[in-house]
Structure formats: structure tokens, C-alpha cells
Amino acid sequence: MVTIDIPRLYAASPSEGTPHLTINHKATLDLDSTNAFEGVLLKHDFLKQQSINCCLGPEKLLEVWFSPSPEEIPVSTARNGLKAVSAGIWKEMLDLVNCKVLSIVESEHVDAYLLSESSMFVFPHKLILKTCGTTTLLCGLPRILEIAALSAGFPHVQPNLLKGISAVATPYRIFYSRKNFLFPDRQHHPHRSWRDEVKFLDKMFLRGSAYMIGKMNGEHWYLYITDPGTTLTPPATPEPDQTSQGETKTRLLTMPADMAAAHTVGLDQGSDETLEVLMTDLDPENAKQFYLENASAVAEGQFYQRAHHTLRGGDGDSSGSSGNGLGNRISGHVNGHSQAAFDVFSNTGSDNGEFTSDVEGRYPEELTTEGHALGTVVSGSCGLSEVYPSSRYPDARIDAYLFTPCGFSANGVIPASEGAKDSNPTYYFTVHVTPEPHCSYASFETNVPSRKSGRETADVVEQVVKIFCPGRFSVTLFEAKVSDYERGLSRGYGSSTAEYKASEMSAAKRSARMDGIKGYRRVDRIVHDLDGYDLVFRYYERDDWKGGAPRLGERAP
């Protein structure tokens, strides 16, 4: 029998003390079933809806913080904070958002939920929810606040404006962002316009700030952010000047390009940092790797190449396959129950020349249908598993899913290197791809600090862009601020004037490096100084791009 090594980055690879996988088989079957249960679209309707959703492009991204860090969670809160909340409760909340849980990678510091419409990450002190298509992300926010209060034990108050919500936790800070929609008329309330979203958030929180970053007549990005120590609207004891605050106005952020370097001096290695790369107009040939038919062919080729190598006396790890290999054994928890390891290459069949008679009946069905097996194949073959390689992050795990007839999603959970002194010892990345040529889109997001990855941000961006080959893309880098003194020390510089100037020169070089992404020209750059954060937005087009002006879709407010 052919034996294939366990992939080092596969989420379900058995490894003591590392993240483990829970697969929601019911949800994955519903994605491709003609006998859908109540509330879930039939296969035809689901694929039709997916076709509509693919054209909508950019995701909605929500971060809800209940404390500045896991160490600062109130003593009255459950020991693991939000991680103490059961998956069943989160699934009920996600019903309000209109998406399903496909699988969960659980780790000590973060639980990563792979969804039918993107991803969710649950830390002890914060929740990150990213959804695409016509999902109603903000409709889940009141329920998130209630769950934090009743199930996680965060300090809370009685709500005055939220019907059906018995209690709401007071968040430390709220972040909501997205790129401009291509088809806003297909969205549902409250997502039909940025102005409607701001009104929705203003009804819940005081002193929120709304921003538009980028050109009004070009690619732009929206951000809503609250001050530290967010106050609910209306507060328990309203103050006259607060209850009549009116609608928050969206501010247009611009800054001359030559000022950018001065605002991007290095930050502390352990600071909060989020990198988001949003890509459109993917190269059609390159995008084929995210189609089920193509991925299945790649998997079959790898399978029989390894079968040939094994039957000729090899060890099953032949050359020519992805660096992380195809896994033959999966272990973990399925639908909440313990499951023994099983061989995904047994009891199935295929035809392939001289090996037909020898391995007939053994080719895995999992490598011919949508799901996690082909998702793992794609994450290895496209190069995604090498963005944060196992050589540097041996306990990193990737949970990937390939859809029918195309489309790809993946979550990565990345424990910090051994000995790292960090308040956030586990990081994440998430990727989502819609490859259809008339509406192609891909996104990559991570909170792995550039200084901890051992590479500059530009190197990570170049590697990601090489995977997807977009005609144009934008990069948003969101970094927590630290003092000038800490900035210098974090990069090995002393406190003297000369050493600090050296730190500034290094920051200028990094900024210039971001302006020189190989194969692309930087069209726009905007830097803004927010309360507690520095925000840098860049927009690029491929050197040979002839696709014309950006598709605006949604007009700036």
C-alpha cells in the first residue's frame, strides 16, 4: 500500500502541544448537497449565490477588543476570556452574519474558525471576524457584545437600544474596515453604503471616527475606529453633550508621499501590527490553480508520482511534490468527538497507467471533491505554505478548503518562536480567493510582525503577490505606536542621537523598499497618524497592466 508522509503544516497533523483541527462535516456537506436542511440553500441556489458573491470582491473586517492584551483581562472574566465560549454559541452568532463554520483550529492562545464566507479568530481578549459576499457582518456585533458579557464574563451594562439583547459587554476598542464595494446595491442592510454602516456603529458607540483612505475617484479603503475605553451609546447615565453628537463625518485622509518615511520609523517587535493585501484582476492562467479540476489533477499527479517512488523502494517522499507533502493521515476532533487517525488514500480508486492494477480502489475520493484535502494540496502547490515556512515556524498549522467549482480559503495559526518575549505568542494569517476572470479577487491578512518574521514587510508582500499575480492591489499596514526611544531600542539602536538617526535612516529604507515591489509600480501612498496607531495605505498596478481605471463601484460619500 502507498504511504505518504504527514504534511508538516497541515492543521490536523498529530503533534503534541500543537494546534488541532475540528471539522464540521455537516456544514461541508451542505455546501455541495441537493438535500440541504432548513435555512441552507440547495446546491443549485448555493452555487448561484456563490457566483453572485464572487463579484462582490472585498471583505468586511471587524475587530472587537475587550482589553488591551490577554494579561489585562478583568479578574471577573472567565480564565480564557472569549476562548471560554463554546463553538456552538459562536455558530449561533454567525447565523446572524449568514455564514457557516467549516472547521476550527484550536490552540492555546487563539482559535481559528474557517467559514463558508471567510474567517474568524478568537483570542482571550479580542475577536476578529472577516466575511465576504453579501454577509451581514455588523448584524452579529450586538450578539458578540452579549456573548462577551454572559458567556465570557466581561464587565457589562444593560442595553437601551439593542432589542433582544439582555446585556452587552463594554468593549475596549472597535475597528471596522473594508475596501470600496464593487456592487453595493447587492449588499444587505446595514452594508448598502459606508454612510449606513457608520450610522449603525454610531448608534452603538460614542466618539467613533470614520475615515476614507485613498482617492475619491480611485481605489480607496474605509475605516471606523473608536477611542480606547469605548463608551456605548447611550451610556448608562447620558451626558447632554454626548447624546446629541449627530452623525460621524467621514474624514478624507491624504498626506504628501515624501512625508511617509518620517511616519514609518520602526515599531516595537511585540506591538500590534496588521498587514492586509487586497488583490484584483488575477492573472487568468495563474488563477486556474484555485479551480477544483486543476487542483484534483495536481493531486493525482503527486499521488502517482509518490506511488511510483514507493513501489520502486523509495521512502514515499519523492521529489517534484510540494515541500509540505500530501498528508495520508488525519487526526483530531470531528463534530466535537475524538477521531482516530485514518488513511485518506485508502478505499478509493483511479486510473493511471502502469499503477492501475496495483493501486486500483485506493485513490482517495477526497482528492476529487471540494474540501480540506484539496485545500491542503493547493496551499502547498501554490506556495502559500512557504510564506511562513515550517523551517522557522515548526508548529505552524494551515487549515485550507477548496470549493466547487472554484474558490479557496485558508487560515494559518503561527505560534511565536521559542523564547520570544511577546504578549501575543500566537499569530494568524488568512487567505481568500475568488479566481473567476470577470471578478477575480484575493486577499491576504496577517498579524505576524515584520520584525518577528525575519523579513521586511516588502518581502512578505512580494511573496504573496507572486502567488496570485494580480493586475493591481492595495496594501494596508496598521501598526501600534510606541515612543521614539522604544522604536530605536526595538531594532537594536541605542538612545544616542546618532543611533536614533540611524534608526530613522533604516525606516526610510524600508519605506523605499515598499515602493519598489518587483514587477509593480506604486501609484498611491497615504500615511495617517491615528490615536495609538500609524496607518500606511499603498496602491500598486502591474508594470504591464493595461486594464484601465479601477472599477469604483461604490462612490465615496
Side-chain angles (χ1 to χ4, degrees):
M1 176 178 177
V2 178
T3 303
I4 311 295
D5 289 341
I6 296 170
R8 288 167 292 176
L9 292 187
Y10 186 61
S13 300
S15 176
E16 186 176 347
T18 58
H20 65 275
L21 176 71
T22 300
I23 299 176
N24 183 357
H25 282 304
K26 185 176 182 180
T28 57
L29 289 173
D30 289 332
L31 292 183
D32 193 30
S33 172
T34 55
N35 297 308
F37 63 93
E38 182 179 357
V40 179
L41 296 170
L42 295 175
K43 178 180 178 181
H44 173 77
D45 292 333
F46 177 81
L47 294 179
K48 180 179 178 182
Q49 185 64 33
Q50 288 296 89
S51 177
I52 293 174
N53 284 351
C54 78
C55 300
L56 301 181
E59 300 103 333
K60 313 168 185 83
L61 175 61
L62 174 69
E63 290 196 26
V64 186
W65 293 54
F66 293 96
S67 72
S69 69
E71 292 75 23
E72 298 178 68
I73 289 177
V75 293
S76 60
T77 305
R79 184 174 62 88
N80 289 330
L82 296 175
K83 276 177 52 60
V85 179
S86 69
I89 292 177
W90 290 127
K91 290 175 184 178
E92 291 175 1
M93 180 276 293
L94 290 169
D95 286 341
L96 301 173
V97 179
N98 293 311
C99 56
K100 301 292 181 183
V101 175
L102 301 181
S103 53
I104 309 168
V105 175
E106 298 176 335
S107 69
E108 181 181 357
H109 303 287
V110 60
D111 295 336
Y113 289 68
L114 192 64
L115 309 178
S116 60
E117 305 280 351
S118 295
S119 301
M120 181 173 75
F121 298 90
V122 180
F123 296 81
H125 66 300
K126 67 180 179 180
L127 178 143
I128 300 172
L129 179 57
K130 187 171 192 174
T131 66
C132 61
T134 56
T135 52
T136 50
L137 185 151
L138 290 179
C139 291
L141 180 54
R143 178 61 177 144
I144 291 172
L145 300 182
E146 183 180 43
I147 291 171
L150 302 182
S151 299
F154 281 93
H156 57 275
V157 298
Q158 297 298 317
N160 294 324
L161 293 178
L162 303 175
K163 294 182 180 180
I165 302 296
S166 59
V168 291
T170 303
Y172 169 72
R173 205 157 194 185
I174 299 290
F175 302 85
Y176 174 69
S177 64
R178 65 171 176 82
K179 191 174 173 289
N180 53 296
F181 288 138
L182 296 180
F183 299 97
D185 57 307
R186 297 183 183 177
Q187 296 292 331
H188 303 298
H189 178 78
H191 298 288
R192 288 191 175 276
S193 72
W194 176 244
R195 185 172 182 176
D196 287 348
E197 291 169 319
V198 171
K199 285 182 178 179
F200 183 94
L201 291 164
D202 277 349
K203 285 183 179 180
M204 297 183 65
F205 310 110
L206 284 175
R207 301 189 184 91
S209 298
Y211 301 93
M212 189 195 85
I213 301 96
K215 296 179 179 179
M216 297 180 68
N217 61 344
E219 296 282 348
H220 52 272
W221 185 76
Y222 295 108
L223 170 67
Y224 184 96
I225 184 172
T226 63
D227 295 336
T230 301
T231 305
L232 298 170
T233 303
T237 306
E239 298 178 14
D241 63 329
Q242 294 176 332
T243 56
S244 59
Q245 66 174 4
E247 179 184 340
T248 296
K249 301 297 182 182
T250 298
R251 310 176 198 176
L252 176 63
L253 304 186
T254 59
M255 180 176 290
D258 58 3
M259 295 178 65
H263 286 260
T264 54
V265 177
L267 299 176
D268 180 76
Q269 293 184 14
S271 63
D272 179 38
E273 176 179 326
T274 301
L275 170 68
E276 189 174 33
V277 186
L278 306 179
M279 297 161 278
T280 59
D281 304 286
L282 310 184
D283 177 75
E285 285 299 315
N286 188 73
K288 288 180 180 178
Q289 62 188 319
F290 302 105
Y291 281 75
L292 187 144
E293 182 179 6
N294 181 276
S296 184
V298 170
E300 186 169 5
Q302 291 180 354
F303 175 82
Y304 284 107
Q305 182 179 20
R306 292 183 174 210
H308 176 89
H309 186 74
T310 300
L311 293 175
R312 295 297 182 268
D315 60 3
D317 188 17
S318 62
S319 60
S321 59
S322 64
N324 300 301
L326 291 177
N328 70 313
R329 298 177 70 81
I330 299 177
S331 65
H333 292 76
V334 178
N335 291 334
H337 300 288
S338 176
Q339 181 190 38
F342 65 90
D343 191 341
V344 301
F345 290 118
S346 64
N347 303 320
T348 53
S350 182
D351 296 324
N352 195 282
E354 62 177 301
F355 293 101
T356 300
S357 60
D358 201 283
V359 295
E360 182 69 35
R362 297 178 185 175
Y363 187 75
E365 182 181 357
E366 289 86 349
L367 296 182
T368 64
T369 59
E370 77 165 65
H372 293 86
L374 279 182
T376 302
V377 171
V378 173
S379 67
S381 62
C382 76
L384 178 62
S385 58
E386 294 304 316
V387 175
Y388 297 108
S390 58
S391 58
R392 182 174 178 85
Y393 301 96
D395 291 328
R397 293 293 177 263
I398 296 177
D399 177 19
Y401 195 98
L402 187 71
F403 295 90
T404 300
C406 61
F408 174 80
S409 290
N411 287 341
V413 175
I414 309 170
S417 303
E418 269 189 48
K421 296 180 179 179
D422 197 340
S423 60
N424 189 26
T426 302
Y427 302 102
Y428 73 88
F429 74 81
T430 183
V431 172
H432 302 282
V433 186
T434 295
E436 291 94 328
H438 64 287
C439 58
S440 60
Y441 175 83
S443 68
F444 172 89
E445 179 189 337
T446 183
N447 71 338
V448 179
S450 58
R451 308 312 298 169
K452 286 192 174 298
S453 68
R455 295 175 294 169
E456 298 293 344
T457 300
D459 296 326
V460 176
V461 172
E462 280 190 344
Q463 188 170 1
V464 169
V465 168
K466 185 178 180 181
I467 292 173
F468 300 103
C469 301
R472 42 196 168 193
F473 68 95
S474 64
V475 175
T476 304
L477 183 61
F478 214 36
E479 296 179 300
K481 294 178 182 175
V482 294
S483 68
D484 290 346
Y485 176 77
E486 291 174 312
R487 286 174 177 176
L489 292 183
S490 70
R491 283 179 164 78
Y493 298 100
S495 57
S496 68
T497 301
E499 288 172 314
Y500 182 69
K501 285 184 177 180
S503 175
E504 286 185 314
M505 290 179 63
S506 176
K509 290 180 179 179
R510 288 192 301 275
S511 179
R513 176 75 177 82
M514 278 295 295
D515 289 340
I517 300 299
K518 187 177 181 180
Y520 291 83
R521 61 182 181 278
R522 196 265 300 160
V523 178
D524 202 4
R525 177 175 59 185
I526 297 172
V527 184
H528 192 71
D529 185 353
L530 298 171
D531 183 11
Y533 286 86
D534 284 327
L535 171 64
V536 185
F537 172 87
R538 290 178 171 90
Y539 169 65
Y540 303 79
E541 292 183 354
R542 200 169 58 221
D543 289 339
D544 62 353
W545 175 248
K546 298 178 181 179
R551 293 171 293 178
L552 290 182
E554 179 180 10
R555 297 288 174 175

